[in-house]
Amino acid sequence: MPSLKVVKDQIVGVKKTAQITKAMNMVSAAKLRGAQQKMEDFRPYAGKFNEALGSISGNMRANEFALMQAREVNNAEIIVVTSDRGLCGSFNSHIIKMAEKLMMKYEAEGKKVSLVCVGKKGNQYFNKTGKVRKSYRDIMGNFQMFNAREIAQDVAAAFIAGDTDEVQLIFGSFISVGRQVPKTLSFLPVQPIKAEEGAEAPSGGQQGAYTYEPSPEEIMDVLLPLYMNVMVYNAMLEVGASEHAARMTAMDNATNACKDIVDSLTMIYNKARQAAITGDLMDIVGGAEALKG
Amino acid sequence: MATIHLEVVTPSGPVVNEDVDIVSAPGYGGDFGVLANHSLFLSTIKIGGLVYKQGGKENHLMVSGGFCEVSNNKITFLVEAAESGHEIDVDRALRSKERAEKRLAEAKSQQEKVNLVRAEAALQRALARIKIAERSPR
């Protein structure tokens, strides 16, 4: 039997841990609301953007633009978007695993792979491979559009310079508070964009052809980089929300586990206390018997 | 007076969503104005000032890179950032103007193309901010 004091200390310790995990759960819940609001705010922009880009690019050939040109792939790049902080269950490791699988697939095909890590966790894991071309750390806490633009521009510059021939974007997509799954999107060359189904048909309104200023081709030159910003920003938003949702779940589980441990430790404590009392009683009774004799 | 519906949408949410009399914006080929029932039109937007009038009241917005679409008596701006005139921090804009000028000079002397483009964009933004802040009532 462990001594009473040791068990008591353990119970106090576990209870304190439960307090911390509970607090972290509540903090994450508040942060998740903020992240979801940010996603909500972004939706009209992204929706309208895709709509407009789809309608312009619909009647254009893809190969006219450097950013849309598909070529033979010798050097592939993977953008891995993870969170900066841990303690959110298996969220980051799922993303990293997916990136690693893709990396192995590329390498099996004899292609060179480089990595761009957004968020500290991805960099921590991949740093030792020596394939990280660039990494952005400590920006997931409070990022803006210009952070996304910086990343997108850098990746696009490498693509245009011919250092990379294909770029994939891997991030944790936010499905619901209880569900986040890693997702791979083809980033470069930019895939032809289709106008979303159900988008308002132009037939009901004004007829005729658009006046473009400058020409549609030149507009595309402006819009394609913006479209890449949208994709990166969206990935960062989803990872932001997913991270907090995953942490909420992980911390909830931890709090429950703490409660279970406290229960079983209390049981051990009570048993030990009872054993001590019984032992003391035996001694007293034994002593009394001996005196009688 | 006939009105046109103006929408300014940024990544952090819609900024303006109302019926206005006239909109003037910095387009690719210079500033252009849009009145009610304008024909179908699509243009890229440069860094600069967007002005819209509503019942004689003039409103100024600073917008940065994006595009705009006119259709069905509705004008939609999709820009990466928009700030209304009275929100602009003039001191900050002045500071960033000085910073951008310094960087521009450095980049020019060192022949760095990337930094040059960046510094130029930053300078343009700062100048646009100062101009718009001066024009809008405090």
Side-chain angles (χ1 to χ4, degrees):
Chain A
M1 267 297 162
S3 86
L4 280 180
K5 188 169 181 318
V6 170
V7 182
K8 183 109 212 175
D9 286 350
Q10 269 180 352
I11 292 175
V12 171
V14 174
K15 272 186 179 161
K16 276 187 181 151
T17 310
Q19 262 174 7
I20 294 171
T21 54
K22 188 129 193 262
M24 278 183 75
N25 172 291
M26 288 195 285
V27 169
S28 292
K31 285 194 174 164
L32 175 64
R33 259 198 301 276
Q36 274 183 309
Q37 183 61 46
K38 225 169 160 183
M39 275 173 77
E40 208 58 47
D41 290 341
F42 182 57
R43 209 158 280 157
Y45 182 83
K48 286 224 166 78
F49 199 95
N50 287 344
E51 207 178 282
L53 199 55
S55 74
I56 303 175
S57 67
N59 42 13
M60 255 178 259
R61 271 163 293 132
N63 279 346
E64 282 175 39
F65 306 102
L67 286 172
M68 288 178 102
Q69 245 157 37
R71 49 183 183 231
E72 202 191 326
V73 181
N74 293 319
N75 300 297
E77 184 152 82
I78 307 171
I79 310 174
V80 189
V81 189
T82 57
S83 69
D84 273 329
R85 289 152 186 258
L87 287 178
C88 45
S90 55
F91 172 65
N92 285 317
S93 61
H94 278 318
I95 300 174
I96 287 168
K97 246 182 227 151
M98 192 171 204
E100 207 164 39
K101 240 189 215 162
L102 185 66
M103 226 164 92
M104 269 145 68
K105 192 186 134 229
Y106 274 133
E107 276 168 358
E109 291 166 7
K111 292 161 188 164
K112 262 196 213 149
V113 183
S114 57
L115 291 166
V116 171
C117 295
V118 182
K120 209 151 69 183
K121 285 285 153 187
N123 184 54
Q124 265 170 15
Y125 183 86
F126 286 114
N127 212 0
K128 62 176 189 291
T129 64
K131 284 175 186 139
V132 179
R133 186 171 68 84
K134 199 141 191 184
S135 90
Y136 300 86
R137 272 161 290 179
D138 294 318
I139 60 167
M140 296 305 287
N142 184 18
F143 58 87
Q144 296 287 331
M145 193 68 189
F146 67 84
N147 298 107
R149 183 166 52 215
E150 194 186 324
I151 298 164
Q153 277 178 353
D154 180 68
V155 172
F159 180 80
I160 286 173
D163 296 340
T164 55
D165 304 310
E166 185 177 281
V167 183
Q168 302 275 346
L169 176 68
I170 294 184
F171 63 101
S173 89
F174 181 84
I175 293 172
S176 70
V177 176
R179 209 165 125 74
Q180 304 88 30
V181 289
K183 196 169 165 187
T184 311
L185 277 185
S186 165
F187 189 64
L188 277 170
V190 176
Q191 304 297 313
I193 303 117
K194 287 186 202 89
E196 255 176 72
E197 308 240 346
E200 46 183 293
S203 59
Q206 219 164 335
Q207 293 287 332
Y210 272 95
T211 311
Y212 292 101
E213 187 182 306
S215 66
E217 285 75 21
E218 282 172 278
I219 291 185
M220 281 299 276
D221 276 342
V222 177
L223 289 198
L224 283 177
L226 290 179
Y227 178 65
M228 293 172 53
N229 298 351
V230 167
M231 273 171 80
V232 174
Y233 190 64
N234 187 46
M236 287 169 85
L237 281 177
E238 298 230 2
V239 167
S242 300
E243 177 198 350
H244 295 305
R247 184 167 300 123
M248 248 175 84
T249 319
M251 287 303 124
D252 201 40
N253 290 341
T255 313
N256 286 338
C258 280
K259 273 185 198 145
D260 289 348
I261 294 172
V262 168
D263 282 352
S264 69
L265 281 176
T266 310
M267 186 76 89
I268 293 171
Y269 177 78
N270 285 344
K271 271 188 187 156
R273 192 193 49 168
Q274 200 55 52
I277 292 169
T278 312
D280 286 353
L281 273 178
M282 297 268 281
D283 282 352
I284 293 165
V285 173
E289 286 292 318
L291 283 178
K292 266 193 209 160
Chain B
M1 191 173 165
T3 57
I4 183 164
H5 191 75
L6 168 71
E7 256 185 43
V8 180
V9 187
T10 71
S12 43
V15 178
V16 185
N17 191 0
E18 51 198 322
D19 288 325
V20 299
D21 298 329
I22 181 171
V23 184
S24 152
Y28 170 81
D31 280 16
F32 63 89
V34 173
L35 287 162
N37 301 317
H38 193 280
S39 65
L40 291 169
F41 180 64
L42 205 146
S43 171
T44 55
I45 297 295
K46 291 191 297 194
I47 297 164
L50 188 160
V51 187
Y52 61 95
K53 268 190 201 160
Q54 198 180 22
K57 214 180 118 216
E58 215 170 69
N59 293 290
H60 294 260
L61 275 179
M62 130 95 194
V63 289
S64 68
F67 67 100
C68 109
E69 186 188 18
V70 186
S71 69
N72 298 328
N73 203 26
K74 189 170 139 191
I75 177 162
T76 312
F77 285 87
L78 284 170
V79 288
E80 291 207 326
E83 279 171 72
S84 75
H86 53 263
E87 275 174 12
I88 292 171
D89 185 340
V90 183
D91 292 335
R92 206 178 134 218
L94 282 169
R95 277 202 303 279
S96 63
K97 183 190 150 216
E98 277 166 28
R99 210 166 44 232
E101 276 167 347
K102 218 168 98 191
R103 287 223 189 105
L104 199 62
E106 270 172 31
K108 258 183 196 154
S109 63
Q110 285 164 17
Q111 302 279 321
E112 284 181 60
K113 216 173 166 197
V114 181
N115 286 341
L116 193 71
V117 174
R118 262 188 211 167
E120 260 169 10
L123 184 61
Q124 267 177 23
R125 273 198 296 275
L127 288 176
R129 276 207 183 90
I130 294 164
K131 205 164 111 189
I132 291 150
E134 276 169 359
R135 280 191 199 161
S136 32
R138 289 275 127 186

